[in-house]
Amino acid sequence: MTVIDISPSVMQFLLAFIVVGPLLGAVAALLPAPPGLKGRNPDQAVLRHGVTVTGAVLIAAIVLAVGFDHDHPATMQATTDISWIPALDVRIHLGIDGISLPLLVLTALLTFLCALYSYFKPPAGPSPKAFVALVLVLESGTLATFAVLDLLLFFLAFEMVLIPMYFLINRWGGDQRQAAAWKFILYTLLGSVVMLLGLLLVGLKSGTFDMVALATDNGRGLTTSVQVIAVLAIGLGLAVKTPMWPLHSWLPDAHTAAPTVGSVLLAGVLLKMGTYGLVRILLPAAPDGMRTFAPYLAAFAVVGIVYGSLACLALARTGAKGDLKRLIAYSSVGHMGFVLLGIATMTPTGVNGALFANIAHGLITGLLFFLVGAVKDRYGTADLDTLAGATGAALYGRAPRLGALLAFAAVASLGLPGLAGFWGEMLTLFGAYSPAEGLSRPAFRTFMAIGAFGTLLTAAYMLIVVRRVCMGEHALPARTTPDASAPSAASAPDAPQPPATPGTPQTPATTPALAASPTPGTLQAPTTPGTLQAPPAPQLADVQPYEAAAWTPLVALTVLAGLWPAVLLGLTDPAVQKLLSGGKS
């Protein structure tokens, strides 16, 4: 069934345009603008160019999804197969099925929202020309990763995103951006070298680099020892990008230093490239090798779930000076652990859960990084103690819509039933309860129990973040007698401000966001007999129209996926069944 009947040739063109269009747009962004398109502000003109190109790619992706045959999601559609390097049998082979289509649309959507957000709030740094070009190259490489069906093309697309992200962090990032950018590039490049060796081993030993042919062969052309070596080599490269514990240490630094748009794209789509490679390449092409390493993959996954949650709890505690962006980055380590656990089960239930969790994480964590970026812009910091010490009921009292959106994203991230984060985690745990034949059921049930415990830890740190950032800290007990020798509370801007005592002059707060003038309707701290009323907390700018435009689609899709999971599972399940059964629908 297709919503609109589109001819195969048009579908081929749409997929080719989705992959190549952003690359052409990146070249155009670096060229001088035509006289009629320069406008009054050249910087705004190039940012508008980014919105136009990413918008056209998003429209093409939506039309492609509408024309997709939903009755046969396991069949490769919109395929293009052209010989490129005959000596190596390398082909320009493109195509999509129920596994790659959701990731394709998610990438196009998040990149467009980032371009729209950047148009109204350009990142601080060098000329926007390079920024727009890098974002478009990044989009092209990510979309190509999900669309190509040749191992060497997959590797080239996989590597294509590294340089743009390196420069986005290094040129437009915050503190420690150079160290974070170098750590990102070194980790991923070293992993990629090992992955290339594994891909060449699979291609040369099987006689083809075609991913569809390898999936249909289902490992029959590779000995068990070759499969084990291939899974180890390719898996290491993919695990770095996922990121799997203990290869994750580049991620918190990269997220903390990256600009808001960089963090959204890194968490929303780049992390999905690693898990996509595990599902698309290793599960069907080297099933015996995957079966050998599946228990170890699951063990690393659940350690990552618990480790990421404990790191978040440590950052969220009072006095830890934890950075909110860094906390969300560590939460990604835990959430991607569920994806890896689902893949390690090698069951349709677990792999479907992993793919669902991939999409849910892209929507929810992308929204979280947008929101944290907005909070940091308003307060001048993402330090949790400073945010919690900003009295006046914190975000709920000072920017209620922004506070409500942050609370919504937090409860979606912790896996509240009815929102997108719930289904992926539940299905992966179900898959671990009954893993594939040949895997230890007691071991995987132990992993399931540890993963379930991790969901409780996730709820704990997310609720702490909501309480501290959205509600603020509890006020300290007020003094009832004057004490001229007591130091002024305003001397510690990061600490909660207690009510003033009689005879104590009030000093203006030194935090940048607290310097604004109060406005009517601001919540006021409660008073007790014998104390002066605390000054009302100044209001912050609430959600702006351009922010609402960038965030509303993510909120709506998070609710839609939570209430109607069959939309996504109906696409992925037939394709997963075919992959796991050796190419048989």
Side-chain angles (χ1 to χ4, degrees):
M1 178 191 71
T2 57
V3 180
I4 298 177
D5 190 16
I6 301 177
S7 68
S9 59
V10 174
M11 293 284 283
Q12 290 176 351
F13 170 79
L14 286 172
L15 184 57
F17 171 76
I18 288 170
V19 173
V20 179
L23 204 56
L24 299 176
V27 174
L30 296 175
L31 298 176
L37 298 179
K38 284 184 178 180
R40 297 181 179 178
N41 188 336
D43 289 348
Q44 287 297 107
V46 73
L47 290 169
R48 184 169 60 246
H49 170 77
V51 176
T52 303
V53 174
T54 55
V57 172
L58 176 60
I59 292 172
I62 293 173
V63 174
L64 190 70
V66 169
F68 187 81
D69 185 357
H70 293 261
D71 284 339
H72 301 91
T75 303
M76 285 294 172
Q77 302 179 35
T79 55
T80 299
D81 192 0
I82 304 170
S83 179
W84 184 33
I85 307 177
L88 297 176
D89 193 29
V90 178
R91 310 182 68 81
I92 299 177
H93 192 182
L94 305 176
I96 54 167
D97 62 357
I99 293 173
S100 52
L101 179 62
L103 290 167
L104 208 71
V105 175
L106 174 68
T107 301
L109 173 64
L110 282 177
T111 313
F112 169 71
L113 296 180
C114 286
L116 182 65
Y117 185 85
S118 299
Y119 176 76
F120 291 97
K121 188 168 184 58
S127 166
K129 266 195 171 188
F131 175 81
V132 171
L134 289 169
V135 169
L136 291 175
V137 172
L138 184 71
E139 180 183 29
S140 179
T142 310
L143 290 168
T145 302
F146 299 137
V148 298
L149 296 172
D150 183 275
L151 289 181
L152 292 184
L153 278 183
F154 175 85
F155 176 78
L156 292 176
F158 196 89
E159 296 304 292
M160 185 176 168
V161 305
L162 301 185
I163 301 303
M165 182 54 69
Y166 167 80
F167 281 110
L168 285 175
I169 297 172
N170 195 25
R171 302 295 299 278
W172 287 271
D175 297 336
Q176 305 296 321
R177 60 181 183 268
Q178 291 186 348
W182 274 110
K183 199 171 186 179
F184 163 78
I185 198 74
L186 288 176
Y187 263 77
T188 48
L189 278 178
L190 288 174
S192 298
V193 170
V194 182
M195 183 176 72
L196 177 60
L197 295 177
L199 293 173
L200 290 173
L201 176 65
V202 171
L204 295 175
K205 288 292 184 180
S206 63
T208 181
F209 289 97
D210 188 87
M211 292 156 67
V212 176
L214 288 168
T216 304
D217 187 63
N218 201 221
R220 287 183 285 270
L222 300 172
T223 64
T224 301
S225 59
V226 169
Q227 290 189 38
V228 169
I229 296 171
V231 169
L232 181 61
I234 299 172
L236 278 174
L238 297 174
V240 171
K241 186 62 78 65
T242 299
M244 180 185 75
W245 180 92
L247 303 174
H248 69 282
S249 60
W250 62 269
L251 182 71
D253 293 339
H255 270 308
T256 305
T260 297
V261 167
S263 292
V264 172
L265 293 175
L266 181 58
V269 293
L270 263 67
L271 301 189
K272 312 303 175 284
M273 294 163 59
T275 52
Y276 173 78
L278 291 172
V279 174
R280 175 66 73 195
I281 299 172
L282 292 184
L283 272 180
D288 294 336
M290 278 296 292
R291 197 170 288 107
T292 300
F293 284 104
Y296 304 101
L297 178 61
F300 284 129
V302 296
V303 170
I305 292 171
V306 175
Y307 170 82
S309 299
L310 291 177
C312 290
L313 282 170
L315 289 170
R317 75 179 190 275
T318 303
K321 291 292 181 182
D323 187 281
L324 189 52
K325 285 188 73 175
R326 195 173 189 86
L327 185 147
I328 306 274
Y330 271 111
S331 77
S332 292
V333 176
H335 288 303
M336 296 309 291
F338 281 102
V339 178
L340 292 172
L341 177 61
I343 295 171
T345 67
M346 299 183 68
T347 62
T349 301
V351 176
N352 275 303
L355 294 172
F356 198 103
N358 249 350
I359 300 298
H361 179 264
L363 295 171
I364 297 168
T365 308
L367 177 61
L368 276 170
F369 275 115
F370 267 135
L371 294 168
V372 173
V375 170
K376 187 174 182 179
D377 289 338
R378 286 158 171 78
Y379 282 93
T381 181
D383 178 72
L384 273 166
D385 289 335
T386 303
L387 298 178
T391 55
L395 275 181
Y396 283 162
R398 308 182 64 193
R401 293 183 182 86
L402 183 59
L405 281 171
L406 183 60
F408 168 83
V411 297
S413 182
L414 64 83
L416 185 72
L419 297 176
F422 171 74
W423 294 105
E425 294 180 3
M426 185 194 71
L427 289 172
T428 57
L429 294 177
F430 278 173
Y433 182 81
S434 182
E437 185 179 352
L439 299 178
S440 171
R441 183 165 292 189
F444 271 83
R445 289 187 177 178
T446 303
F447 298 146
M448 180 197 73
I450 298 173
F453 176 67
T455 63
L456 299 179
L457 295 177
T458 304
Y461 71 73
M462 278 300 178
L463 292 177
I464 290 173
V465 168
V466 171
R467 177 180 62 80
R468 298 193 69 205
V469 177
C470 296
M471 303 177 186
E473 301 283 22
H474 295 294
L476 297 177
R479 292 180 181 273
T480 57
T481 57
D483 186 358
S485 64
S488 172
S491 63
D494 290 350
Q497 304 295 319
T501 57
T504 303
Q506 298 198 14
T507 306
T510 57
T511 303
L514 301 182
S517 58
T519 57
T522 306
L523 297 182
Q524 297 178 350
T527 60
T528 57
T531 63
L532 293 178
Q533 182 172 303
Q539 290 289 92
L540 297 173
D542 213 334
V543 178
Q544 301 298 302
Y546 73 91
E547 293 173 327
W551 303 341
T552 300
L554 301 179
V555 173
L557 289 173
T558 299
V559 175
L560 177 65
L563 296 178
W564 198 8
V567 173
L568 187 55
L569 293 174
L571 284 172
T572 61
D573 184 54
V576 168
Q577 298 275 2
K578 183 176 181 178
L579 277 183
L580 295 178
S581 63
K584 300 174 183 177
S585 301

